[in-house]
PDB file of all heavy atoms in Angstrom:
ATOM      1  N   LYS B  38     105.029  30.438-105.769  1.00  0.00           N
ATOM      2  CA  LYS B  38     104.031  29.367-105.654  1.00  0.00           C
ATOM      3  C   LYS B  38     102.668  29.825-106.139  1.00  0.00           C
ATOM      4  O   LYS B  38     101.934  29.075-106.775  1.00  0.00           O
ATOM      5  CB  LYS B  38     103.935  28.901-104.200  1.00  0.00           C
ATOM      6  CG  LYS B  38     105.156  28.147-103.695  1.00  0.00           C
ATOM      7  CD  LYS B  38     104.951  27.721-102.240  1.00  0.00           C
ATOM      8  CE  LYS B  38     106.163  26.974-101.719  1.00  0.00           C
ATOM      9  NZ  LYS B  38     106.004  26.587-100.288  1.00  0.00           N
ATOM     10  N   LEU B  60      97.739  28.322 -98.623  1.00  0.00           N
ATOM     11  CA  LEU B  60      99.162  28.285 -98.291  1.00  0.00           C
ATOM     12  C   LEU B  60      99.398  29.009 -96.972  1.00  0.00           C
ATOM     13  O   LEU B  60      98.599  29.860 -96.565  1.00  0.00           O
ATOM     14  CB  LEU B  60      99.981  28.977 -99.391  1.00  0.00           C
ATOM     15  CG  LEU B  60      99.984  28.305-100.767  1.00  0.00           C
ATOM     16  CD1 LEU B  60     100.587  29.248-101.798  1.00  0.00           C
ATOM     17  CD2 LEU B  60     100.744  26.985-100.726  1.00  0.00           C
ATOM     18  N   PRO B  61     100.495  28.704 -96.291  1.00  0.00           N
ATOM     19  CA  PRO B  61     100.819  29.449 -95.075  1.00  0.00           C
ATOM     20  C   PRO B  61     101.147  30.903 -95.424  1.00  0.00           C
ATOM     21  O   PRO B  61     101.992  31.159 -96.285  1.00  0.00           O
ATOM     22  CB  PRO B  61     102.044  28.711 -94.512  1.00  0.00           C
ATOM     23  CG  PRO B  61     102.619  27.970 -95.681  1.00  0.00           C
ATOM     24  CD  PRO B  61     101.474  27.625 -96.563  1.00  0.00           C
ATOM     25  N   PRO B  62     100.504  31.869 -94.766  1.00  0.00           N
ATOM     26  CA  PRO B  62     100.702  33.275 -95.133  1.00  0.00           C
ATOM     27  C   PRO B  62     101.814  33.978 -94.369  1.00  0.00           C
ATOM     28  O   PRO B  62     102.108  35.140 -94.651  1.00  0.00           O
ATOM     29  CB  PRO B  62      99.344  33.902 -94.796  1.00  0.00           C
ATOM     30  CG  PRO B  62      98.852  33.095 -93.637  1.00  0.00           C
ATOM     31  CD  PRO B  62      99.362  31.689 -93.850  1.00  0.00           C
ATOM     32  N   ALA B  63     102.401  33.290 -93.383  1.00  0.00           N
ATOM     33  CA  ALA B  63     103.444  33.920 -92.560  1.00  0.00           C
ATOM     34  C   ALA B  63     102.926  35.263 -92.034  1.00  0.00           C
ATOM     35  O   ALA B  63     101.763  35.372 -91.654  1.00  0.00           O
ATOM     36  CB  ALA B  63     104.734  34.057 -93.354  1.00  0.00           C
ATOM     37  N   SER B  64     103.788  36.288 -92.046  1.00  0.00           N
ATOM     38  CA  SER B  64     103.412  37.570 -91.442  1.00  0.00           C
ATOM     39  C   SER B  64     102.424  38.388 -92.268  1.00  0.00           C
ATOM     40  O   SER B  64     101.998  39.453 -91.819  1.00  0.00           O
ATOM     41  CB  SER B  64     104.663  38.403 -91.171  1.00  0.00           C
ATOM     42  OG  SER B  64     105.371  37.899 -90.060  1.00  0.00           O
ATOM     43  N   GLY B 104     113.221  34.090 -82.098  1.00  0.00           N
ATOM     44  CA  GLY B 104     113.728  34.021 -83.469  1.00  0.00           C
ATOM     45  C   GLY B 104     112.827  34.680 -84.493  1.00  0.00           C
ATOM     46  O   GLY B 104     113.150  34.673 -85.676  1.00  0.00           O
ATOM     47  N   GLY B 105     111.709  35.261 -84.085  1.00  0.00           N
ATOM     48  CA  GLY B 105     110.795  35.908 -85.012  1.00  0.00           C
ATOM     49  C   GLY B 105     110.945  37.413 -85.009  1.00  0.00           C
ATOM     50  O   GLY B 105     111.787  37.983 -84.306  1.00  0.00           O
ATOM     51  N   GLY B 171     100.837  34.795 -87.666  1.00  0.00           N
ATOM     52  CA  GLY B 171     101.233  34.029 -88.846  1.00  0.00           C
ATOM     53  C   GLY B 171     102.270  32.971 -88.554  1.00  0.00           C
ATOM     54  O   GLY B 171     102.781  32.328 -89.479  1.00  0.00           O
ATOM     55  N   LEU B 172     102.595  32.772 -87.270  1.00  0.00           N
ATOM     56  CA  LEU B 172     103.495  31.677 -86.920  1.00  0.00           C
ATOM     57  C   LEU B 172     102.880  30.355 -87.366  1.00  0.00           C
ATOM     58  O   LEU B 172     101.655  30.184 -87.320  1.00  0.00           O
ATOM     59  CB  LEU B 172     103.772  31.685 -85.418  1.00  0.00           C
ATOM     60  CG  LEU B 172     104.624  32.868 -84.921  1.00  0.00           C
ATOM     61  CD1 LEU B 172     104.681  32.882 -83.394  1.00  0.00           C
ATOM     62  CD2 LEU B 172     106.030  32.808 -85.513  1.00  0.00           C
ATOM     63  N   PRO B 173     103.689  29.393 -87.812  1.00  0.00           N
ATOM     64  CA  PRO B 173     103.158  28.181 -88.444  1.00  0.00           C
ATOM     65  C   PRO B 173     102.169  27.408 -87.566  1.00  0.00           C
ATOM     66  O   PRO B 173     102.384  27.226 -86.363  1.00  0.00           O
ATOM     67  CB  PRO B 173     104.420  27.351 -88.709  1.00  0.00           C
ATOM     68  CG  PRO B 173     105.510  28.356 -88.822  1.00  0.00           C
ATOM     69  CD  PRO B 173     105.169  29.432 -87.850  1.00  0.00           C
ATOM     70  N   GLY B 233     106.100  38.923 -95.629  1.00  0.00           N
ATOM     71  CA  GLY B 233     105.987  37.762 -94.755  1.00  0.00           C
ATOM     72  C   GLY B 233     107.063  36.751 -95.093  1.00  0.00           C
ATOM     73  O   GLY B 233     107.482  36.644 -96.253  1.00  0.00           O
ATOM     74  N   HIS B 234     107.511  36.016 -94.086  1.00  0.00           N
ATOM     75  CA  HIS B 234     108.501  34.969 -94.337  1.00  0.00           C
ATOM     76  C   HIS B 234     108.545  33.971 -93.187  1.00  0.00           C
ATOM     77  O   HIS B 234     108.622  34.347 -92.015  1.00  0.00           O
ATOM     78  CB  HIS B 234     109.905  35.554 -94.508  1.00  0.00           C
ATOM     79  CG  HIS B 234     110.963  34.484 -94.551  1.00  0.00           C
ATOM     80  ND1 HIS B 234     111.886  34.289 -93.537  1.00  0.00           N
ATOM     81  CD2 HIS B 234     111.211  33.520 -95.488  1.00  0.00           C
ATOM     82  CE1 HIS B 234     112.661  33.269 -93.844  1.00  0.00           C
ATOM     83  NE2 HIS B 234     112.285  32.788 -95.013  1.00  0.00           N
ATOM     84  N   THR B 235     108.429  32.724 -93.531  1.00  0.00           N
ATOM     85  CA  THR B 235     108.811  31.605 -92.667  1.00  0.00           C
ATOM     86  C   THR B 235     109.430  30.563 -93.597  1.00  0.00           C
ATOM     87  O   THR B 235     109.293  30.638 -94.827  1.00  0.00           O
ATOM     88  CB  THR B 235     107.609  30.974 -91.929  1.00  0.00           C
ATOM     89  OG1 THR B 235     106.682  30.451 -92.905  1.00  0.00           O
ATOM     90  CG2 THR B 235     106.904  31.990 -91.032  1.00  0.00           C
ATOM     91  N   GLN B 236     110.094  29.584 -93.008  1.00  0.00           N
ATOM     92  CA  GLN B 236     110.686  28.528 -93.834  1.00  0.00           C
ATOM     93  C   GLN B 236     109.612  27.792 -94.613  1.00  0.00           C
ATOM     94  O   GLN B 236     109.806  27.416 -95.778  1.00  0.00           O
ATOM     95  CB  GLN B 236     111.463  27.548 -92.948  1.00  0.00           C
ATOM     96  CG  GLN B 236     112.214  26.477 -93.748  1.00  0.00           C
ATOM     97  CD  GLN B 236     113.100  25.615 -92.855  1.00  0.00           C
ATOM     98  OE1 GLN B 236     113.185  25.834 -91.652  1.00  0.00           O
ATOM     99  NE2 GLN B 236     113.763  24.631 -93.449  1.00  0.00           N
ATOM    100  N   GLU B 237     108.468  27.605 -93.980  1.00  0.00           N
ATOM    101  CA  GLU B 237     107.365  26.884 -94.624  1.00  0.00           C
ATOM    102  C   GLU B 237     106.737  27.705 -95.742  1.00  0.00           C
ATOM    103  O   GLU B 237     106.410  27.183 -96.808  1.00  0.00           O
ATOM    104  CB  GLU B 237     106.305  26.536 -93.571  1.00  0.00           C
ATOM    105  CG  GLU B 237     105.119  25.751 -94.115  1.00  0.00           C
ATOM    106  CD  GLU B 237     104.040  25.543 -93.055  1.00  0.00           C
ATOM    107  OE1 GLU B 237     103.999  26.317 -92.075  1.00  0.00           O
ATOM    108  OE2 GLU B 237     103.231  24.616 -93.224  1.00  0.00           O
ATOM    109  N   ALA B 238     106.553  28.996 -95.506  1.00  0.00           N
ATOM    110  CA  ALA B 238     105.830  29.854 -96.457  1.00  0.00           C
ATOM    111  C   ALA B 238     106.715  30.396 -97.563  1.00  0.00           C
ATOM    112  O   ALA B 238     106.228  30.765 -98.637  1.00  0.00           O
ATOM    113  CB  ALA B 238     105.184  31.018 -95.709  1.00  0.00           C
ATOM    114  N   GLY B 239     108.032  30.465 -97.329  1.00  0.00           N
ATOM    115  CA  GLY B 239     108.897  31.168 -98.256  1.00  0.00           C
ATOM    116  C   GLY B 239     108.770  32.672 -98.041  1.00  0.00           C
ATOM    117  O   GLY B 239     108.282  33.136 -97.011  1.00  0.00           O
ATOM    118  N   PHE B 240     109.210  33.441 -99.031  1.00  0.00           N
ATOM    119  CA  PHE B 240     109.159  34.897 -98.948  1.00  0.00           C
ATOM    120  C   PHE B 240     107.920  35.405 -99.683  1.00  0.00           C
ATOM    121  O   PHE B 240     107.739  35.111-100.870  1.00  0.00           O
ATOM    122  CB  PHE B 240     110.431  35.506 -99.546  1.00  0.00           C
ATOM    123  CG  PHE B 240     111.666  35.264 -98.714  1.00  0.00           C
ATOM    124  CD1 PHE B 240     112.360  34.062 -98.828  1.00  0.00           C
ATOM    125  CD2 PHE B 240     112.114  36.215 -97.822  1.00  0.00           C
ATOM    126  CE1 PHE B 240     113.499  33.827 -98.066  1.00  0.00           C
ATOM    127  CE2 PHE B 240     113.260  35.991 -97.051  1.00  0.00           C
ATOM    128  CZ  PHE B 240     113.945  34.799 -97.176  1.00  0.00           C
ATOM    129  N   CYS B 241     107.091  36.149 -98.961  1.00  0.00           N
ATOM    130  CA  CYS B 241     105.797  36.602 -99.489  1.00  0.00           C
ATOM    131  C   CYS B 241     105.722  38.130 -99.441  1.00  0.00           C
ATOM    132  O   CYS B 241     106.369  38.772 -98.608  1.00  0.00           O
ATOM    133  CB  CYS B 241     104.649  36.018 -98.679  1.00  0.00           C
ATOM    134  SG  CYS B 241     104.726  34.225 -98.432  1.00  0.00           S
ATOM    135  N   PHE B 258     103.043  34.814-103.154  1.00  0.00           N
ATOM    136  CA  PHE B 258     103.365  33.829-102.121  1.00  0.00           C
ATOM    137  C   PHE B 258     104.508  32.928-102.595  1.00  0.00           C
ATOM    138  O   PHE B 258     104.534  32.500-103.752  1.00  0.00           O
ATOM    139  CB  PHE B 258     102.157  32.920-101.840  1.00  0.00           C
ATOM    140  CG  PHE B 258     101.146  33.475-100.892  1.00  0.00           C
ATOM    141  CD1 PHE B 258     100.604  34.727-101.064  1.00  0.00           C
ATOM    142  CD2 PHE B 258     100.705  32.711 -99.818  1.00  0.00           C
ATOM    143  CE1 PHE B 258      99.644  35.233-100.196  1.00  0.00           C
ATOM    144  CE2 PHE B 258      99.749  33.193 -98.936  1.00  0.00           C
ATOM    145  CZ  PHE B 258      99.210  34.462 -99.123  1.00  0.00           C
ATOM    146  N   GLY B 259     105.429  32.613-101.671  1.00  0.00           N
ATOM    147  CA  GLY B 259     106.376  31.523-101.880  1.00  0.00           C
ATOM    148  C   GLY B 259     107.475  31.788-102.884  1.00  0.00           C
ATOM    149  O   GLY B 259     107.728  30.944-103.747  1.00  0.00           O
ATOM    150  N   THR B 260     108.179  32.920-102.767  1.00  0.00           N
ATOM    151  CA  THR B 260     109.390  33.109-103.562  1.00  0.00           C
ATOM    152  C   THR B 260     110.599  32.653-102.737  1.00  0.00           C
ATOM    153  O   THR B 260     110.468  32.288-101.574  1.00  0.00           O
ATOM    154  CB  THR B 260     109.565  34.580-103.982  1.00  0.00           C
ATOM    155  OG1 THR B 260     109.768  35.380-102.807  1.00  0.00           O
ATOM    156  CG2 THR B 260     108.342  35.075-104.733  1.00  0.00           C
ATOM    157  N   ASP B 261     111.786  32.718-103.352  1.00  0.00           N
ATOM    158  CA  ASP B 261     112.978  32.123-102.732  1.00  0.00           C
ATOM    159  C   ASP B 261     113.781  33.074-101.859  1.00  0.00           C
ATOM    160  O   ASP B 261     114.653  32.629-101.098  1.00  0.00           O
ATOM    161  CB  ASP B 261     113.900  31.552-103.810  1.00  0.00           C
ATOM    162  CG  ASP B 261     113.294  30.338-104.506  1.00  0.00           C
ATOM    163  OD1 ASP B 261     112.444  29.669-103.869  1.00  0.00           O
ATOM    164  OD2 ASP B 261     113.656  30.074-105.665  1.00  0.00           O
ATOM    165  N   SER B 262     113.539  34.385-101.977  1.00  0.00           N
ATOM    166  CA  SER B 262     114.367  35.323-101.222  1.00  0.00           C
ATOM    167  C   SER B 262     113.663  36.666-101.106  1.00  0.00           C
ATOM    168  O   SER B 262     112.660  36.934-101.785  1.00  0.00           O
ATOM    169  CB  SER B 262     115.715  35.528-101.918  1.00  0.00           C
ATOM    170  OG  SER B 262     115.529  36.222-103.146  1.00  0.00           O
ATOM    171  N   ARG B 266     111.095  38.270-104.019  1.00  0.00           N
ATOM    172  CA  ARG B 266     109.696  38.679-103.849  1.00  0.00           C
ATOM    173  C   ARG B 266     109.485  40.105-104.345  1.00  0.00           C
ATOM    174  O   ARG B 266     108.424  40.432-104.884  1.00  0.00           O
ATOM    175  CB  ARG B 266     109.246  38.516-102.407  1.00  0.00           C
ATOM    176  CG  ARG B 266     109.861  39.477-101.404  1.00  0.00           C
ATOM    177  CD  ARG B 266     109.438  39.135 -99.994  1.00  0.00           C
ATOM    178  NE  ARG B 266     110.139  39.957 -98.996  1.00  0.00           N
ATOM    179  CZ  ARG B 266     110.160  39.685 -97.699  1.00  0.00           C
ATOM    180  NH1 ARG B 266     109.530  38.610 -97.241  1.00  0.00           N
ATOM    181  NH2 ARG B 266     110.818  40.461 -96.860  1.00  0.00           N
TER     182      ARG B 266
END
Side-chain angles (χ1 to χ4, degrees):
K38 291 180 180 178
L60 294 168
S64 286
L172 291 172
H234 171 250
T235 61
Q236 185 174 358
E237 181 185 22
F240 290 83
C241 310
F258 277 52
T260 65
D261 292 335
S262 68
R266 70 185 174 194

